[in-house]
Amino acid sequence: MGNVKYRFENFSFYDHSGIRRHLEQMAQKGWLLERAGTMWKYRAIEPKKIAFTVTYCAHASVFDPKPSEQQQQFIDLCAHTGWVPVKTVGQMQIFYNESPDAPPLQTDPVVELEGMHRALKKNFLPATLVLLLCYAVMLYCIFAVHSSLVFLLTDGPGLGAAVLLFMAALFYIWQLAGYFLYRRRALRAAEAYQLVWGDGPILRYLLRWGTTVVDIEFWDDSGRIFGDELTAQQRELVIEAFSP
Amino acid sequence: MPRAKFQTLTEQMFYVLLCLRTERCGTDILDRVPAMTAGRVTVGSGTLYNLLEQFLDQGWIEETKVQGRRHSYRLTPDGEAALQKEYGRICAQAEDYRRSLREEVPHG
């Protein structure tokens, strides 16, 4: 087995609890997250209990070659209490702490939710809305070019594009609606000082199922490539992903 | 009912503002709050970062010094007034409690 592996992880952007739990489970299986981006890079470690936390920094951007001044200030504050940053892209920041008595990074759920919303308002929410607008314009153009529905149904490429655009738009509407529903639930619970999961079990199950379909894992020095027979660990991952 | 923003301060907000009556940086506040409260109250790094941003936006604190990556802050008059208001509220609650104990008729 190699020392490094890459995985596609498919979590909703706001599902910090789900991501945290997943990373803690991976660490207990001997994989520590080293970098989160398009593909997440894990490094083999001695299996152990490590605390993770996922938070959002409004001053971080995917276009920054290195952490901005404010983001660095945030990282320094976290380092003071033993939280080590994982290399991430964008506003979602992941930290881990190997101390068994790791102090929580967030101690006020209302302040945490406000910080998260401020960060998402700067990037995730406007970007998703612009994307949806583009999809709507493209769908309108497809329908405008075809004079009737029958004409569209007989045009294979046009119909294919319309279906794909519609599905993509539906996915992002689902993400947006999911976030606002989560925020509503979380704010209510935070007022009562309870914790709330990011995605509900059904959405998380579907997203995990989606991950498994594209669960291509690369092993750096074992020579394993996808298409090979599944290893015991890969089988375990598939079983885990399909378990309710 | 949702907590109206800054109408009342949480314990953590109160102690962060109290720390900033003297010029301090973020890491000083992280250490100072548990020391002030004998470990009863702690403020997480992420929470402190968000609170400092909110207090700056509200005009309750101001940045006084930047030494490398170390940013120091201090309470503004508005912040001092908010702290005083919260202190008054806590005192009024304590007085209500004491009055209620005095007025309580012993059973039996």
Side-chain angles (χ1 to χ4, degrees):
Chain A
M1 195 172 73
N3 291 323
V4 173
K5 78 168 164 179
Y6 295 87
R7 281 170 53 99
F8 282 113
E9 301 290 15
N10 201 0
F11 286 98
S12 295
F13 191 71
Y14 56 87
D15 187 13
H16 54 96
S17 301
I19 298 170
R20 176 185 56 77
R21 202 172 74 145
H22 168 72
L23 295 177
E24 286 175 354
Q25 283 171 351
M26 288 296 281
Q28 281 183 334
K29 288 176 189 168
W31 292 105
L32 176 66
L33 180 70
E34 205 168 78
R35 193 182 65 222
T38 311
M39 290 185 80
W40 293 26
K41 183 183 177 186
Y42 294 87
R43 179 168 48 85
I45 54 161
E46 197 65 36
K48 59 181 163 182
K49 204 172 170 182
I50 298 180
F52 280 85
T53 193
V54 180
T55 184
Y56 301 84
C57 180
H59 299 290
S61 163
V62 284
F63 302 111
D64 287 337
K66 58 178 187 174
S68 63
E69 196 187 323
Q70 287 107 325
Q71 192 186 349
Q72 191 57 54
Q73 202 185 339
F74 176 56
I75 292 170
D76 289 346
L77 277 180
C78 297
H80 189 71
T81 46
W83 289 94
V84 181
V86 171
K87 206 172 172 193
T88 50
V89 178
Q91 295 173 320
M92 189 175 75
Q93 309 283 303
I94 301 175
F95 292 86
Y96 68 90
N97 195 324
E98 296 192 44
S99 163
D101 309 314
L105 201 68
Q106 300 287 355
T107 45
D108 185 329
V110 177
V111 174
E112 180 183 6
L113 281 167
E114 282 167 359
M116 179 183 180
H117 193 61
R118 201 166 48 242
L120 297 192
K121 263 199 309 193
K122 278 184 77 175
N123 191 320
F124 169 74
L125 296 177
T128 308
L129 286 172
V130 169
L131 200 64
L132 277 173
L133 189 69
C134 292
Y135 286 153
V137 170
M138 284 192 279
L139 275 169
Y140 173 76
C141 290
I142 289 174
F143 283 106
V145 166
H146 299 81
S147 50
S148 70
L149 188 62
V150 178
F151 183 24
L152 177 63
L153 289 172
T154 55
D155 176 16
L159 183 66
V163 169
L164 282 176
L165 281 171
F166 182 71
M167 282 169 65
L170 215 57
F171 174 76
Y172 284 105
I173 290 171
W174 185 13
Q175 289 279 297
L176 271 184
Y179 171 66
F180 282 107
L181 280 174
Y182 156 74
R183 182 173 156 73
R184 214 176 93 178
R185 270 189 312 133
L187 269 175
R188 276 188 196 157
E191 293 291 344
Y193 297 99
Q194 294 167 3
L195 292 174
V196 154
W197 282 80
D199 277 336
I202 296 172
L203 180 56
R204 184 174 292 123
Y205 175 77
L206 288 172
L207 285 170
R208 290 288 291 156
W209 180 81
T211 309
T212 308
V213 171
V214 290
D215 196 4
I216 306 160
E217 297 193 5
F218 301 91
W219 306 79
D220 70 333
D221 53 4
S222 66
R224 181 163 300 284
I225 54 165
F226 59 94
D228 282 7
E229 198 180 328
L230 290 179
T231 62
Q233 191 168 11
Q234 283 172 319
R235 269 200 301 278
E236 193 191 319
L237 282 168
V238 172
I239 292 164
E240 181 199 304
F242 277 96
S243 313
Chain B
M1 207 176 92
R3 183 170 85 205
K5 198 172 181 182
F6 296 144
Q7 283 303 303
T8 57
L9 302 181
T10 62
E11 233 179 3
Q12 295 177 69
M13 290 173 180
F14 180 81
Y15 282 108
V16 169
L17 288 177
L18 194 57
C19 283
L20 289 177
R21 294 187 81 183
T22 309
E23 182 186 270
R24 284 197 170 90
C25 70
T27 50
D28 290 342
I29 301 169
L30 286 176
D31 296 334
R32 180 75 183 144
V33 173
M36 282 171 100
T37 60
R40 189 175 55 82
V41 179
T42 52
V43 184
S45 306
T47 300
L48 177 64
Y49 181 81
N50 283 322
L51 281 179
L52 289 175
E53 277 210 324
Q54 289 182 16
F55 291 157
L56 279 169
D57 289 347
Q58 192 79 6
W60 285 3
I61 61 170
E62 61 188 351
E63 200 173 75
T64 49
K65 202 163 57 186
V66 180
Q67 281 179 315
R69 289 179 357 203
R70 205 177 148 99
H71 293 241
S72 299
Y73 306 92
R74 198 178 45 209
L75 221 55
T76 62
D78 282 354
E80 184 69 48
L83 193 62
Q84 284 291 333
K85 189 180 159 199
E86 184 62 16
Y87 174 68
R89 197 184 66 81
I90 294 168
C91 288
Q93 268 187 336
E95 184 49 39
D96 292 343
Y97 177 80
R98 281 193 289 267
R99 196 172 46 244
S100 169
L101 283 186
R102 280 196 302 269
E103 287 170 4
E104 217 169 63
V105 181
H107 292 289

